[in-house]
Amino acid sequence: MGCGHKDDKASLASSQITSLSHQPHQPPSTPASKEVWKKGGRMFSILLAVHLALLACTLVSSGAFEKIAVHDYDVFFLLTVMMLIVIVWIIFYLVGTSRCPDAILCKDSHAGPVWLRGGLILFAIFSLVMDVFKIGYYSSFYSCLSAIKIIYPIVQAIFVVVQTYFLWVSAKDCIHVHLNVTRCGLMLTLTTNLAVWMSAVTDESVHKAHSKLKKNATEEIFRWLLKVGIRSSSAEECNCNSQICQIFKNGYFWLYPFNIEYSLFASAMVYVMWKNVGRFIDHHSHHIHRLKVRLFRRTFFVGIVLGLIILVSGLGVLILYEVQVQSSKKSQALTMYYIFNIVCLGLMSLVCIGGSVIYRFDKRDMDRHKNPTRTLDVALLMGAALGQYAISYYSIVAIVASTPRDSISALNLTYALLMIAQHTFQNIFIIEGLHRQPPKEDHKHHSHQKDLYGLTFVNINAVSLRVPDSGSTLAPSTASGTEAIHPSDLVRSLTAPKKMNWRRKSLREISMFLLLSNIILWIMPAFGARPQFDNDTELNFYGDSMWPAIVDICLPFGIFYRMHAVASLLEVYIMS
């Protein structure tokens, strides 16, 4: 990516920035033809991503069934090629931008916040551990497997390392060279992550189906597996008798949820980078808020304590559920699971309603500036919630139309209704919090506070008396371009850091409680607590082929919703 052959738009940008230095208050004007080509470049990259995504989806879905002549190593070959191309492009991008000083003219301060990148690194670490387990598992009987089965996890580990570094250092970039090549490269990266996500979800679903067959060995499930023809993994056809082999096998399946979340997090960050290609930041309206994270200051600890109680209780319920659901106490396990979730979802719904009411009294202005990161956050929250909405509505129809009804059906119906309500109220609370500007004392009087925080023992009344009300002594500073300091502003600047109103404290408590509650609601389905497969009401109503397919398609979106809600709630907490 050299500097000698820039896009026409980049050269146009240089002239615009030069003119803006003389006229800082005029927004940059872009010719209509350039804007049309910008849309054309985006459309070409979108078409590339759509075709690759459809090809990957076709191979991944076909490789899951025995009756279709597509094998899992065909899917692994495609994913390996895609990841290798992305690795080469990322290296090309990093080297090219480092050699060209004018490649990145500005950065988007909202893109790639530190907590999102930190979560990406956390999921990347678990994904690397999963790849190590997978390499060890396939190496145990490499003689009866295709070589691609071992090559794939090695390439995936390299891909995770390179992409994580790329997103950590370049998530905020607004690049202005080779725009169309960059757009296509980013869309290829996004499509590769989605293809890896689809492969992981499919592999996990097939594994759970076979595990359920082996544990229960019921005639109905056996007929269902024969009917749909789910393919058994080629690795399962080999002998895995050693203990270390079983550890590797169980280990990498338990780590699949982290790899799934990593792919989705990376896709979201790459999409924001794609939106920022060729973008100019209007620094007069694009405020950079440098907020200090104080997780354990200025709080009553009510939200943290209640959230930790929910989290610890949920872990206990998860352990008991996994133990009892495989024994003769399945009804007790379902009852315990539904009661815990009903209490948790009910509290979260009430808290979200209370937070939305508090926002009605909040005097902060709404942030209406262009923000691709926030737009994506809102779209992902609304889109991912559709998965859980679909499961809940299917459950409601099955429970209401089925007879007879027992206590578990009543609990399941309440659980489904509260799940819909909680998702709705939480989305309203998060979206309203993301559109609020930070507290005024964090940025409005920041320049005043920097000079006045040292006056710890100053008598405020004395300061007020020494500053004339007319502000005539401050006129020279005003004339030189600095805002005059009024006595009341001076007093406010000195006293603002010492107090936080009840609205901000309440919003922080609510955000922390919802954050911890969403963590446990992500952990439970991600690590095996899925009553949709253990409750017979929906299975008997929709059949043993339709209902598992519905859950397998919709549940990953519900799991992703919880993790994305955690990231969004952390942002709301910091902005409060």
Side-chain angles (χ1 to χ4, degrees):
M1 187 178 292
C3 299
H5 301 282
K6 291 185 180 179
D7 219 324
D8 294 337
K9 192 169 184 178
S11 60
L12 177 67
S14 302
S15 61
Q16 288 180 346
I17 293 176
T18 304
S19 62
L20 282 174
S21 62
H22 302 286
Q23 297 177 349
H25 296 288
Q26 294 181 1
S29 58
T30 305
S33 59
K34 299 295 180 181
E35 181 66 24
V36 170
W37 175 240
K38 171 184 176 182
K39 294 180 179 179
R42 285 186 174 181
M43 183 59 66
F44 180 78
S45 62
I46 290 174
L47 290 175
L48 174 65
V50 168
H51 286 290
L52 287 176
L54 290 176
L55 174 61
C57 183
T58 303
L59 282 178
V60 169
S61 59
S62 300
F65 295 94
E66 185 72 37
K67 296 179 180 179
I68 302 177
V70 176
H71 300 278
D72 51 0
Y73 49 79
D74 297 326
V75 178
F76 289 151
F77 178 79
L78 173 66
L79 296 179
T80 301
V81 172
M82 293 176 68
M83 287 189 290
L84 288 174
I85 295 175
V86 171
I87 290 172
V88 173
W89 177 82
I90 289 176
I91 296 174
F92 174 74
Y93 177 94
L94 293 174
V95 173
T97 53
S98 63
R99 292 182 177 180
C100 184
D102 296 330
I104 303 171
L105 300 177
C106 52
K107 289 182 177 288
D108 184 2
S109 62
H110 297 290
V114 65
W115 55 88
L116 184 60
R117 288 181 290 166
L120 185 75
I121 290 180
L122 177 64
F123 290 131
I125 293 173
F126 284 106
S127 298
L128 291 175
V129 176
M130 184 201 72
D131 289 326
V132 171
F133 282 4
K134 193 178 291 187
I135 293 171
Y137 172 59
Y138 289 138
S139 300
S140 301
F141 35 80
Y142 64 91
S143 58
C144 65
L145 289 176
S146 174
I148 194 65
K149 301 277 280 188
I150 301 177
I151 296 175
Y152 172 74
I154 296 175
V155 174
Q156 187 179 24
I158 300 173
F159 171 75
V160 168
V161 173
V162 174
Q163 180 178 244
T164 304
Y165 174 78
F166 165 67
L167 293 176
W168 180 267
V169 301
S170 305
K172 299 178 181 292
D173 290 355
C174 297
I175 190 169
H176 290 273
V177 294
H178 294 287
L179 304 182
N180 295 324
V181 175
T182 304
R183 288 192 180 103
C184 292
L186 289 172
M187 271 297 167
L188 175 61
T189 307
L190 189 150
T191 307
T192 302
N193 280 285
L194 292 179
V196 172
W197 169 75
M198 286 187 290
S199 175
V201 170
T202 304
D203 198 8
E204 185 187 26
S205 299
V206 172
H207 172 72
K208 288 185 179 297
H210 284 285
S211 299
K212 192 174 183 64
L213 174 65
K214 292 177 181 178
K215 290 179 180 179
N216 296 335
T218 59
E219 186 66 22
E220 291 79 10
I221 299 178
F222 183 74
R223 286 202 311 268
W224 173 68
L225 287 172
L226 293 179
K227 180 179 178 180
V228 300
I230 290 183
R231 182 190 302 275
S232 60
S233 176
S234 57
E236 293 181 359
E237 299 174 359
C238 304
N239 294 324
C240 181
N241 299 323
S242 63
Q243 185 177 3
I244 188 67
C245 179
Q246 290 294 331
I247 292 175
F248 283 142
K249 179 180 179 181
N250 296 328
Y252 88 79
F253 273 113
W254 274 97
L255 291 171
Y256 257 135
F258 296 100
N259 181 247
I260 291 171
E261 298 301 331
Y262 172 81
S263 299
L264 293 176
F265 267 53
S267 300
M269 297 178 69
V270 169
Y271 173 79
V272 174
M273 288 187 65
W274 178 79
K275 290 286 290 184
N276 283 331
V277 172
R279 181 187 175 198
F280 292 97
I281 304 296
D282 186 3
H283 295 285
H284 300 284
S285 61
H286 191 81
H287 302 286
I288 300 178
H289 307 299
R290 302 185 182 276
L291 302 177
K292 296 181 180 180
V293 182
R294 300 182 178 94
L295 292 179
F296 301 105
R297 293 182 59 185
R298 301 183 181 182
T299 59
F300 296 122
F301 293 98
V302 178
I304 297 175
V305 172
L306 289 179
L308 289 176
I309 292 174
I310 294 292
L311 181 61
V312 174
S313 302
L315 292 175
V317 170
L318 174 61
I319 295 173
L320 292 175
Y321 180 86
E322 289 292 333
V323 173
Q324 294 181 355
V325 78
Q326 306 300 337
S327 62
S328 59
K329 300 180 179 179
K330 187 171 79 169
S331 60
Q332 297 180 6
L334 289 171
T335 302
M336 176 184 60
Y337 180 89
Y338 284 133
I339 291 177
F340 170 79
N341 278 270
I342 287 171
V343 173
C344 182
L345 294 173
L347 287 175
M348 294 174 70
S349 300
L350 293 176
V351 165
C352 290
I353 294 173
S356 300
V357 172
I358 293 174
Y359 274 127
R360 302 277 72 81
F361 298 96
D362 197 350
K363 298 180 181 180
R364 287 181 293 168
D365 296 331
M366 300 292 289
D367 188 0
R368 295 180 175 86
H369 299 125
K370 182 180 179 181
N371 189 343
T373 304
R374 184 177 58 207
T375 303
L376 178 63
D377 287 340
V378 174
L380 289 177
L381 282 172
M382 301 298 291
L386 296 178
Q388 192 59 56
Y389 282 154
I391 295 177
S392 298
Y393 280 117
Y394 274 107
S395 296
I396 292 172
V397 172
I399 296 168
V400 173
S402 299
T403 55
R405 302 182 182 91
D406 53 6
S407 59
I408 293 181
S409 298
L411 291 174
N412 192 7
L413 178 61
T414 307
Y415 167 74
L417 292 173
L418 282 176
M419 187 66 76
I420 296 173
Q422 191 273 327
H423 277 72
T424 303
F425 295 137
Q426 182 171 266
N427 283 345
I428 294 173
F429 173 77
I430 293 176
I431 292 172
E432 194 155 10
L434 293 176
H435 283 81
R436 294 285 178 172
Q437 290 194 6
K440 291 184 178 181
E441 58 262 30
D442 285 336
H443 61 276
K444 184 176 180 180
H445 303 292
H446 178 72
S447 59
H448 299 165
Q449 292 171 356
K450 182 183 293 186
D451 299 328
L452 295 172
Y453 282 164
L455 304 177
T456 307
F457 302 102
V458 173
N459 188 334
I460 296 177
N461 295 326
V463 174
S464 302
L465 290 173
R466 292 175 185 176
V467 181
D469 292 338
S470 60
S472 58
T473 59
L474 301 176
S477 63
T478 307
S480 62
T482 306
E483 184 182 356
I485 303 176
H486 195 271
S488 60
D489 295 336
L490 183 61
V491 175
R492 257 195 316 269
S493 298
L494 287 170
T495 59
K498 298 181 181 179
K499 85 176 192 178
M500 177 189 293
N501 58 38
W502 65 271
R503 290 185 293 270
R504 288 184 59 193
K505 290 182 180 180
S506 300
L507 291 173
R508 291 168 76 91
E509 299 292 342
I510 291 172
S511 301
M512 184 54 65
F513 171 76
L514 293 175
L515 187 151
L516 295 172
S517 300
N518 276 278
I519 289 177
I520 188 59
L521 292 181
W522 169 76
I523 291 176
M524 297 183 79
F527 291 93
R530 302 183 179 183
Q532 296 87 1
F533 293 118
D534 300 316
N535 194 347
D536 297 331
T537 303
E538 293 92 339
L539 190 63
N540 295 332
F541 185 80
Y542 292 109
D544 50 10
S545 59
M546 178 179 176
W547 178 242
I550 294 172
V551 176
D552 286 338
I553 293 172
C554 298
L555 191 59
F557 292 96
I559 295 174
F560 171 71
Y561 171 85
R562 293 299 177 185
M563 279 310 301
H564 190 71
V566 169
S568 301
L569 285 167
L570 183 58
E571 185 174 358
V572 172
Y573 177 88
I574 296 175
M575 297 288 287
S576 299

